[in-house]
Amino acid sequence: MDSVSQWVLGASVSVAVMGRRVPIWQAALVGGVCGTLPDLDVFIDHGDAIRNMTLHRTESHALLWLTLISPLVAWLVAGLCRQRVAWRAWWPAIWLALITHPLLDLMTVYGTQLGLPLTDFPYAIGSIYIIDPLYTLPLLVGLAVALWRGGERGLRGNRLGLTLSSLYLVWSVVIQGVAGWQIRQSLTGQGIPTDKVLVTPTAFNTLVWRSVILTGDRYGEAYWSLLSPSRPLQVTWYPRHPELYKGFRGSWYAERVAWFSHGFYGLREQDGQTTIADLRMGEGEKYTFTFGLGTPQQPDPRPQRLPSERPSLSASFSALGERL
């Protein structure tokens, strides 16, 4: 999720746990900082673009490591705040601010390795877009009420914001299941296999859902809207070029993208080299994470992430309106 959502979630959780034991602004500041800390791993350069992508959300997002480090952070915070509040009182608030970060990231489609060191599997529910105002606004309003009103009324406003945002996450999972069922029913009616289908929300909402369908040497893309659930799916097909993968068998980079994307990847030849794209993020033939692999004869020793065109906000909202 975006940094604003992570900051305000950490702040709201900390305020809810600390209550009136410390000033509300202080609990919000500590929680917001702790809620942002895990994403500092984005500044680590692992040597190439594919490592940077697949090693983001690893140790810094692991529930075990965050749990183990939380008492130390609580002790430091208690010392810095110079309040007569023991670190044991800060501990639950800081622990929750830290672990709710990867748990919220889990709701997106990217992939979060929160099981380290026991497993490096990139877990992803994919029921919410990385920016969704309907999730963030209740948290912002509730926290603002807490800071403005103070006292028990302010704390109730903060708890209400947390409750509404959490219920929105539950809604996203439920409607994702409905969308997935409807999409598979429609695909089955068209004689299209449904054993490899990904269903994720489109930008800024949970009303229009994008599906990616893998069928051998091609992949399809279709959209389903809650406002017209019975409309037959219109699938647009694109070549996936699985034959190009044969030349890169044994390549750590190609296999890493294939693993991280849970098999939802596509290849093509572009500008004299083979490229590989994660089909989960983007649409059509324009994807956020596309990498140049070089050629089978001369593989690129340090694959670069290729620039991707991002539509303007006006174009995004125009497309959303049509799909609704």
Side-chain angles (χ1 to χ4, degrees):
M1 291 292 286
D2 63 282
S3 297
V4 172
S5 297
Q6 293 289 12
W7 195 97
V8 75
L9 173 61
S12 299
V13 165
S14 180
V15 167
V17 174
M18 294 305 293
R20 300 166 73 174
R21 285 178 287 185
V22 298
I24 290 177
W25 69 266
Q26 192 175 86
L29 179 61
V30 170
V33 171
C34 290
T36 308
L37 280 178
D39 269 348
L40 294 182
D41 70 335
V42 75
F43 295 107
I44 301 174
D45 185 359
H46 296 281
D48 61 75
I50 291 179
R51 280 187 170 88
N52 288 342
M53 174 196 178
T54 61
L55 294 178
H56 175 45
R57 299 191 187 178
T58 50
E59 281 81 6
S60 69
H61 287 61
L63 297 181
L64 177 59
W65 298 136
L66 292 175
T67 298
L68 291 177
I69 201 176
S70 59
L72 175 60
V73 178
W75 178 77
L76 292 172
V77 167
L80 288 172
C81 290
R82 297 180 180 178
Q83 298 280 343
R84 291 184 177 180
V85 177
W87 67 271
R88 293 180 184 86
W90 276 108
W91 187 5
I94 287 172
W95 176 69
L96 283 171
L98 288 171
I99 69 163
T100 51
H101 180 117
L103 292 176
L104 181 57
D105 279 345
L106 171 68
M107 306 302 293
T108 68
V109 77
Y110 186 94
T112 307
Q113 298 172 48
L114 47 76
L116 287 170
L118 303 178
T119 175
D120 64 350
F121 186 82
Y123 294 97
I125 294 175
S127 66
I128 193 168
Y129 193 70
I130 57 171
I131 300 174
D132 193 322
L134 288 182
Y135 173 77
T136 310
L137 281 175
L139 290 172
L140 277 172
V141 172
L143 184 61
V145 169
L147 293 169
W148 173 50
R149 297 296 297 270
E152 188 56 36
R153 287 187 177 182
L155 293 175
R156 280 201 300 268
N158 181 67
R159 289 194 294 268
L160 179 60
L162 271 171
T163 301
L164 292 175
S165 64
S166 299
L167 288 175
Y168 185 72
L169 291 180
V170 174
W171 152 263
S172 74
V173 174
V174 171
I175 195 61
Q176 182 188 38
V178 172
W181 183 83
Q182 291 275 13
I183 287 168
R184 286 176 172 84
Q185 289 290 104
S186 184
L187 292 174
T188 300
Q190 298 179 47
I192 300 172
T194 60
D195 55 325
K196 198 69 173 176
V197 177
L198 174 75
V199 179
T200 59
T202 54
F204 317 127
N205 77 105
T206 53
L207 297 178
V208 179
W209 294 78
R210 171 180 176 261
S211 58
V212 181
I213 308 104
L214 300 185
T215 59
D217 61 350
R218 63 178 184 169
Y219 69 92
E221 191 175 60
Y223 294 88
W224 178 87
S225 171
L226 181 62
L227 302 187
S228 54
S230 59
R231 182 189 296 263
L233 282 186
Q234 296 181 353
V235 184
T236 303
W237 295 99
Y238 303 93
R240 187 164 170 252
H241 298 297
E243 71 280 0
L244 296 176
Y245 189 79
K246 297 177 182 177
F248 290 91
R249 288 199 180 277
S251 164
W252 184 89
Y253 297 111
E255 292 180 355
R256 183 74 173 180
V257 174
W259 165 78
F260 190 74
S261 65
H262 302 286
F264 286 90
Y265 66 92
L267 301 102
R268 63 176 176 169
E269 291 181 333
Q270 177 181 333
D271 299 328
Q273 68 170 333
T274 299
T275 66
I276 187 168
D278 188 327
L279 302 178
R280 300 173 302 161
M281 291 164 279
E283 61 181 45
E285 294 183 297
K286 298 175 182 178
Y287 293 95
T288 305
F289 294 100
T290 302
F291 307 96
L293 297 175
T295 65
Q297 296 75 24
Q298 290 185 320
D300 193 332
R302 293 185 61 184
Q304 300 296 312
R305 179 178 167 187
L306 303 181
S308 58
E309 296 181 22
R310 293 188 178 184
S312 64
L313 279 177
S314 60
S316 297
F317 281 111
S318 176
L320 175 60
E322 292 174 3
R323 290 163 182 166
L324 277 170

